[in-house]
């Protein structure tokens, strides 16, 4: 099955899932993914120093669990149709903006030396 959503590698490790209802359609999946990515971006934005990184770890752990659920739900969806692709096109600009913001936060945190082992393990990154 080909995924409907394409993420840069550094973002793919962050994007895992939302705990609310299981998305039943590709449109629902797109909305759930945008919600998940928005919450991930907000969490990463709050990380400005070692103390805030430590404070964010529980939320990041929860986001990682949600990500696994979202990935499983996406895998259970049928092959996307042309109509599915068309139905999510209006969300692609927002999706791209949030992904770029997440990537920028990860680069910023890496440059500041704030990506500790716990953080890397939760997000499954190797920056």
């Amino acid at each position: 099955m080909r995924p409907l959503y394409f993420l840069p590698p550094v973002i793919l490790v962050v994007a895992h899932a939302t705990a609310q209802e299981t998305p039943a359609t590709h449109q629902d999946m797109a909305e759930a993914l945008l919600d998940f990515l928005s919450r991930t971006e907000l969490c990463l934005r709050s990380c400005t120093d070692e103390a805030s990184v430590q404070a964010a770890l529980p939320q990041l752990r929860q986001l990682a669990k949600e990500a696994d659920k979202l990935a499983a739900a996406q895998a259970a969806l049928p092959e996307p149709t042309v109509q599915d692709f068309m139905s999510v096109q209006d969300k692609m600009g927002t999706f791209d903006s949030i992904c770029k913001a997440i990537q920028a936060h990860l680069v910023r945190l890496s440059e500041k030396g704030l990506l500790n082992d716990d953080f890397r393990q939760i997000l499954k990154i190797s920056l």
Side-chain angles (χ1 to χ4, degrees):
M1 172 187 294
R2 285 177 287 163
L4 178 60
Y5 311 101
F6 302 95
L7 296 171
V10 73
I11 302 304
L12 185 58
V13 296
V14 174
H16 287 319
T18 123
Q20 290 80 22
E21 298 176 28
T22 301
T25 68
H26 290 285
Q27 181 73 22
D28 292 343
M29 180 61 68
E31 291 172 13
L33 184 57
L34 283 175
D35 175 67
F36 170 79
L37 291 173
S38 294
R39 290 182 293 117
T40 300
E41 191 276 331
L42 286 172
C43 182
L44 293 174
R45 185 186 318 164
S46 73
C47 296
T48 57
D49 57 19
E50 185 62 35
S52 60
V53 167
Q54 289 301 315
L57 292 177
Q59 184 177 4
L60 290 170
R61 284 186 188 96
Q62 181 59 40
L63 287 166
K65 289 177 185 176
E66 290 179 27
D68 292 337
K69 291 177 185 175
L70 192 59
Q74 194 280 325
L77 289 175
E79 187 78 20
T81 65
V82 171
Q83 290 81 15
D84 291 325
F85 281 105
M86 292 173 59
S87 73
V88 300
Q89 283 302 309
D90 63 324
K91 295 173 181 13
M92 293 310 292
T94 304
F95 177 83
D96 288 340
S97 295
I98 297 170
C99 287
K100 286 176 184 175
I102 289 171
Q103 188 170 20
H105 290 309
L106 292 174
V107 168
R108 172 183 54 81
L109 292 167
S110 179
E111 288 173 349
K112 289 184 172 187
L114 294 173
L115 293 182
N116 62 37
D117 290 339
D118 286 339
F119 200 103
R120 290 172 192 272
Q121 184 178 7
I122 293 167
L123 297 180
K124 301 175 186 164
I125 60 176
S126 59
L127 280 176

